């Protein structure tokens, strides 16, 4: 019980740190996101439908363990994803005994929701932006697969899949409420609501990597699992900041939004009005910090035999 409570407090601490980083990044990009984009009714209703599907998946995962619902097809997958994403230290336990159908659903549901959310976020970007976003996640999955070797990938699949669903459900809120008759334009005019939304969006993206690393601790050990998480978070913050520093504010933020869709979509139109308002120095420091975190993570994620070889050499 004490260990469980301690891990819970650690998870809350991590979440608090990620939120703090999210607030800093939200304050940086806030000048470029002070006007909500209008959404056509078709997109809005599609976002509402996807939001309902994602929320239903989360709710099933929450209640499946306490009810007979866990016996239904798919309920075990939702339960494993929910537990692994919110309590990643239980990822290995939650994925034990999961049937083949549920294992496929642990991949298909988060992956399908991610692709559909990306299409809804930027319907005018076309298929290329979707492929770029998917390619980034596949690259991360390939690296983790190599690190795992012969070990089971299902704990991290459950953790990352559940975290992706959380992130998509939150992202869909803005689109589902952005229509001409929606309430989001009124809320978006409030600086507190605007920065809070962006901060949580950033934090949820980073939490995907934290949950991934934590879920690997039972298989790779704490050092290597922490390295995977740090490398993922570092890349997640370093790449966008480096892009902004090198390419300039307007073009970089447009590219950033097209690739990962973290910020409110249609950001290209918003940023064009305030070209160059973001201090490049601040972005450069953010990029350097993210790069350092990435390097530290990669070093920690290396197998012990690499360190042994370097010592012999």
């Amino acid at each position: 019980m004490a260990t469980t409570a301690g891990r819970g407090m650690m998870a809350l601490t991590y979440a608090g740190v990620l939120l703090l980083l999210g607030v800093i990044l939200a304050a940086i990009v806030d000048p470029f996101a002070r006007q909500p984009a209008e959404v056509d009714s078709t997109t809005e209703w599609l976002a509402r439908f996807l939001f309902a599907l994602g929320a239903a998946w989360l709710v099933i995962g929450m209640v499946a363990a306490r009810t007979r619902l866990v016996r239904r097809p798919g309920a075990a997958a939702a339960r494993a994803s929910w537990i692994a994403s919110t309590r990643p230290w239980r990822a290995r336990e939650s994925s034990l005994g999961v049937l083949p159908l549920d294992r496929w659903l642990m991949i298909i549901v988060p992956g399908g929701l991610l692709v559909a959310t990306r299409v809804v976020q930027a319907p005018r970007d076309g298929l290329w932006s979707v492929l770029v976003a998917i390619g980034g996640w596949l690259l991360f999955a390939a690296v983790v697969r190599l690190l795992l070797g012969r070990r089971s990938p299902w704990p991290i699949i459950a953790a990352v899949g559940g975290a992706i669903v959380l992130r998509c459900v939150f992202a869909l809120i803005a689109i589902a409420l952005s229509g001409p008759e929606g309430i989001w334009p009124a809320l978006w005019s409030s600086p507190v609501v605007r920065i809070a939304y962006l901060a949580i969006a950033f934090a949820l993206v980073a939490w995907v990597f934290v949950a991934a690393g934590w879920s690997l601790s039972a298989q790779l050990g704490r050092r290597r699992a922490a390295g995977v998480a740090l490398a993922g978070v570092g890349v997640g913050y370093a790449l966008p900041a480096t892009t902004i520093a090198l390419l300039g504010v307007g073009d970089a933020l447009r590219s950033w939004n097209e690739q990962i869709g973290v910020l409110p979509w249609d950001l290209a139109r918003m940023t064009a009005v305030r070209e160059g308002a973001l201090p490049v120095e601040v972005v450069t420091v953010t990029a350097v910090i993210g790069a350092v975190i990435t390097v530290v993570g990669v070093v920690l994620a290396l197998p012990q035999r690499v360190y042994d070889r370097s010592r012999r050499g």
Side-chain angles (χ1 to χ4, degrees):
M1 183 63 69
T3 302
T4 301
R7 288 171 176 170
M9 290 301 299
M10 188 180 297
L12 290 176
T13 301
Y14 288 159
V17 172
L18 294 181
L19 279 175
L20 179 60
L21 292 175
V23 169
I24 295 174
L25 290 176
I28 292 175
V29 303
D30 179 64
F32 306 95
R34 294 183 175 177
Q35 181 180 359
E38 294 183 359
V39 184
D40 61 82
S41 59
T42 302
T43 303
E44 184 180 12
W45 280 105
L46 180 58
R48 290 173 179 174
F49 174 73
L50 293 174
F51 174 81
L53 288 180
W57 181 258
L58 295 177
V59 172
I60 291 173
M62 294 179 196
V63 303
R66 303 178 181 274
T67 65
R68 297 180 180 178
L69 185 63
V70 73
R71 302 175 183 176
R72 302 292 182 181
R79 174 183 176 273
S81 298
W82 169 254
I83 293 177
S85 62
T86 56
R87 286 155 286 176
W89 59 89
R90 294 183 57 188
R92 189 177 185 183
E93 166 198 336
S94 68
S95 61
L96 291 176
V98 177
L99 297 177
L101 173 62
D102 291 297
R103 288 183 173 181
W104 278 108
L105 289 175
M106 286 164 58
I107 299 175
I108 294 174
V109 172
L113 186 63
L114 176 64
V115 172
T117 300
R118 188 66 195 89
V119 172
V120 169
Q121 280 183 312
R124 290 180 293 276
D125 289 347
L127 182 61
W128 175 247
S129 66
V130 178
L131 294 178
V132 170
I134 296 174
W137 287 110
L138 290 178
L139 178 61
F140 175 73
V143 172
V144 172
R145 178 68 264 189
L146 290 175
L147 288 173
L148 282 174
R150 297 180 179 179
R151 301 176 184 89
S152 173
W154 295 109
I156 189 173
I157 288 175
V160 171
I164 286 177
V165 172
L166 287 171
R167 183 243 180 204
C168 290
V169 167
F170 185 79
L172 288 167
I173 294 176
I175 311 173
L177 301 177
S178 289
E181 300 178 358
I183 62 173
W184 189 247
L187 291 176
W188 196 251
S189 63
S190 170
V192 175
V193 174
R194 191 169 57 241
I195 291 179
Y197 174 83
L198 292 175
I200 297 174
F202 282 124
L204 285 175
V205 172
W207 179 255
V208 174
F209 300 104
V210 173
W214 206 337
S215 68
L216 292 173
S217 60
Q219 297 170 291
L220 298 180
R222 293 182 179 181
R223 174 181 61 82
R224 296 184 65 192
V228 173
L230 286 175
V233 173
V235 169
Y237 284 108
L239 286 182
T242 302
T243 304
I244 293 175
L246 294 179
L247 301 182
V249 175
D251 293 337
L253 284 180
R254 281 190 288 272
S255 175
W256 185 4
N257 187 49
E258 289 170 0
Q259 293 181 33
I260 59 177
V262 173
L263 301 179
W265 46 273
D266 205 16
L267 193 61
R269 179 174 57 83
M270 306 176 195
T271 56
V273 183
R274 304 180 61 87
E275 191 77 30
L278 185 63
V280 178
E281 293 79 7
V282 175
V283 181
T284 303
V285 172
T286 304
V288 171
I289 293 175
V292 171
I293 293 175
T294 302
V295 173
V296 172
V298 171
V299 172
L300 290 175
L302 293 175
Q304 183 63 38
R305 61 178 177 271
V306 175
Y307 295 98
D308 295 339
R309 291 173 183 172
S310 63
R311 290 174 184 172
R312 297 192 192 103

